[in-house]
Amino acid sequence: MLKKVIDRAYYNDTEKFRRGAKMVTTLTPLINIFSREELNFSRNRADGDDILVLEAGR
């Protein structure tokens, strides 16, 4: 779903993110967004989803 979006991100841009400790300070909150429990979709399953059942029955 995020292919060609996330994999194209370039976080080593010193113009945008600075250098050294300033870069770490800038990027840490951005990277932490992806560590949030609300974004953990590994437990989501489509079992019993009516839409999928209808589509499969076509």
Side-chain angles (χ1 to χ4, degrees):
M1 180 159 74
L2 292 175
K3 277 190 173 182
K4 297 184 181 177
V5 175
I6 295 295
D7 57 346
R8 289 186 182 180
Y10 181 65
Y11 295 107
N12 205 19
D13 186 340
T14 56
E15 290 290 317
K16 291 180 183 176
F17 304 115
R18 306 181 190 230
R19 294 183 183 276
K22 288 185 179 185
M23 180 182 273
V24 172
T25 302
T26 303
L27 291 175
T28 298
L30 295 173
I31 294 168
N32 284 340
I33 289 170
F34 298 100
S35 301
R36 294 173 58 185
E37 185 59 33
E38 305 91 74
L39 296 178
N40 181 357
F41 299 109
S42 65
R43 293 181 299 273
N44 292 0
R45 299 287 181 254
D47 296 340
D49 189 322
D50 293 341
I51 295 171
L52 293 178
V53 172
L54 291 173
E55 289 296 318
R58 281 186 171 189

